[in-house]
């Protein structure tokens, strides 16, 4: 496997322009709603949209910079997510001596990503940190609450660091020469195959976030039958099915421009992202309900914390990465 050179294909730039166009359209719709229905409460929506502008801008800059800068950005995102998670989870006083080792796992995990070393990337946290952290806790000599402490810490590392680092690993992927040669007969396929990592990251993140919005809108408009009322009362079957259908449609439309996926493969990718995003959302919702909180933080006005925004990615990133990796890399 070869590493992609730090360059961004024009199609990625056009796709990013499309994202900002959607934000402009949303601003226009809000302006029209405010004039047509003056009494409508739009304050929270405006706040959410303002934060979307900020998040889209930061993401676009990170995607378009040199690959090293992009990897540092995703590593920092994992750091913020893990820090937010650990600030919510009750920890034993003695475990604070172990948390440093958990944070040190982040730069090492992203070092394997930058090197394109799939073997170490896939075992560093699930195997080595899984074995090391409980050993370090045991050596501190405190057994009370040991199982809860080691379980919550490792789950946090797996979710906030390992799962999210799959987004970053997409950046360094480049299809083998044989794949490009085979697909060169089809102009769109050949171009998509040559796009490499940034296009795959954009495809994944855009579909994941759009899936969240689509499920919310369908749920608000047509939702009647709840999926998991005890975990997330706002989630309905109508919202889930409408969101997945929208995501599959976009996955098929965008795949020839941003990925090496064939049509049937893009349909499967759309279903995977649609369902995976839903599962990631309700898993983090279950965590917050267990802790008795509504939002994981207040870093992102109108959205809550980092976990509230990346919850879907914790499932879609590893699922999509391994799906694409084993099909085309």
């Amino acid at each position: 496997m070869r590493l992609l050179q730090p360059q961004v294909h024009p199609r990625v730039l056009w796709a990013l322009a499309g994202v900002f166009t959607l934000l402009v359209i949303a601003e226009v719709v809000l302006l029209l709603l405010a004039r047509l229905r003056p009494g409508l409460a739009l304050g929270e929506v405006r706040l959410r949209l303002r934060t979307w502008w900020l998040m889209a801008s930061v993401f676009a800059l990170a995607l378009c910079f040199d690959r090293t800068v992009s990897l540092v950005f995703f590593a920092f995102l994992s750091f913020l997510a893990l820090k937010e998670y650990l600030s919510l989870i009750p920890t034993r006083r003695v475990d604070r001596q172990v948390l440093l080792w958990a944070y040190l796992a982040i730069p090492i995990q992203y070092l394997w990503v930058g090197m394109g070393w799939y073997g170490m990337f896939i075992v560093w946290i699930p195997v080595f940190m899984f074995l090391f952290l409980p050993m370090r806790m045991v050596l501190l000599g405190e057994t009370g609450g040991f199982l809860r402490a080691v379980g919550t810490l490792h789950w946090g590392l797996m979710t906030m660091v390992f799962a999210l680092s799959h987004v970053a690993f997409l950046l360094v992927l480049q299809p083998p020469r044989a794949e490009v040669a085979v697909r060169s007969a089809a102009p769109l396929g050949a171009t998509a195959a040559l796009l490499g990592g940034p296009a795959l990251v954009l495809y994944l993140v855009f579909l994941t976030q759009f899936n969240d919005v689509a499920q919310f809108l369908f749920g608000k408009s047509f939702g009647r039958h709840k999926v998991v009322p005890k975990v997330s009362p706002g989630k309905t079957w109508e919202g889930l099915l409408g969101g997945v259908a929208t995501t599959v449609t976009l996955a098929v439309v965008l795949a020839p421009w941003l990925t090496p996926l064939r049509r049937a493969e893009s349909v499967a990718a759309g279903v995977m992202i649609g369902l995976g995003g839903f599962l990631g959302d309700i898993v983090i919702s279950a965590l917050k309900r267990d802790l008795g909180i509504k939002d994981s933080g207040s870093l992102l006005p109108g959205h809550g914390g980092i976990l509230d925004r990346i919850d879907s990615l914790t499932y879609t990133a590893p699922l999509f990465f391994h799906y694409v990796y084993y099909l085309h890399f």
Side-chain angles (χ1 to χ4, degrees):
M1 180 178 64
R2 296 176 293 127
L3 299 186
L4 185 68
Q5 296 301 316
Q7 59 184 0
V8 179
H9 195 280
R11 283 194 180 178
V12 175
L13 298 178
W14 278 110
L16 287 172
V19 171
F20 286 104
T21 300
L22 289 176
L23 291 175
V24 170
I25 293 173
E27 291 280 7
V28 173
V29 170
L30 273 182
L31 181 61
L32 291 175
L33 283 175
R35 291 191 175 184
L36 295 174
R37 302 180 63 182
L40 196 61
L42 297 173
E44 184 178 353
V45 179
R46 286 197 183 94
L47 191 60
R48 282 175 172 262
L49 187 56
R50 192 178 306 156
T51 304
W52 270 116
W53 276 103
L54 176 62
M55 291 189 297
S57 300
V58 172
F59 174 72
L61 288 174
L63 205 61
C64 294
F65 267 117
D66 178 86
R67 192 186 66 212
T68 301
V69 176
S70 301
L71 293 180
V72 170
F73 166 77
F74 286 112
F76 185 61
L77 184 63
S78 282
F79 167 77
L80 290 178
L82 183 63
K83 183 175 182 296
E84 186 174 270
Y85 168 79
L86 292 175
S87 71
L88 300 173
I89 303 297
T91 56
R92 304 178 303 174
R93 184 181 298 272
V94 69
D95 292 334
R96 296 172 186 173
Q97 302 178 47
V98 183
L99 297 185
L100 175 62
W101 294 102
Y103 284 118
L104 286 176
I106 299 175
I108 297 177
Q109 175 72 1
Y110 281 88
L111 174 64
W112 308 136
V113 173
M115 295 172 63
W117 193 349
Y118 178 80
M120 283 302 296
F121 162 80
I122 208 68
V123 301
W124 170 243
I125 290 177
V127 178
F128 291 109
M129 293 306 294
F130 173 78
L131 297 175
F132 174 78
L133 290 177
M135 176 271 292
R136 188 69 186 90
M137 286 182 174
V138 167
L139 293 179
L140 294 175
E142 179 60 59
T143 58
F146 169 79
L147 181 59
R148 179 182 177 88
V150 72
T152 54
L153 180 56
H154 190 68
W155 189 83
L157 268 180
M158 286 292 294
T159 307
M160 314 306 159
V161 182
F162 181 67
L164 287 181
S165 67
H166 285 77
V167 183
F169 207 109
L170 285 172
L171 282 172
V172 304
L173 292 181
Q174 182 175 354
R177 293 177 185 273
E179 170 87 1
V180 177
V182 168
R183 298 174 70 85
S184 61
L188 280 181
T191 305
L194 290 167
L195 283 171
L200 292 173
V201 171
L202 180 57
Y203 183 81
L204 167 65
V205 173
F206 176 76
L207 288 181
T208 300
Q209 299 303 320
F210 201 91
N211 176 64
D212 286 348
V213 174
Q215 290 194 20
F216 173 79
L217 292 177
F218 276 99
K220 283 291 185 182
S221 303
F222 309 106
R224 295 292 183 273
H225 305 88
K226 300 183 184 302
V227 184
V228 280
K230 291 185 178 180
V231 178
S232 186
K235 297 293 184 183
T236 64
W237 283 106
E238 292 81 1
L240 172 59
L241 295 176
V244 171
T246 304
T247 302
V248 169
T249 301
L250 284 173
V252 172
V253 171
L254 295 176
W257 296 89
L258 295 174
T259 77
L261 297 175
R262 299 171 178 87
R263 175 160 296 185
E265 295 169 348
S266 65
V267 171
V271 173
M272 186 184 304
I273 292 173
L275 294 178
F278 171 80
L279 292 173
D281 192 330
I282 62 173
V283 165
I284 299 301
S285 292
L287 170 68
K288 291 186 291 185
R289 283 198 171 272
D290 183 35
L291 297 172
I293 59 175
K294 181 179 183 295
D295 295 323
S296 62
S298 56
L299 184 62
L300 303 173
H303 294 264
I306 294 293
L307 301 188
D308 297 307
R309 195 62 273 147
I310 56 103
D311 50 7
S312 299
L313 271 175
T314 61
Y315 265 60
T316 62
L319 289 173
F320 179 74
F321 171 83
H322 290 290
Y323 177 68
V324 173
Y325 184 85
Y326 287 115
L327 280 177
H328 294 283
F329 295 92

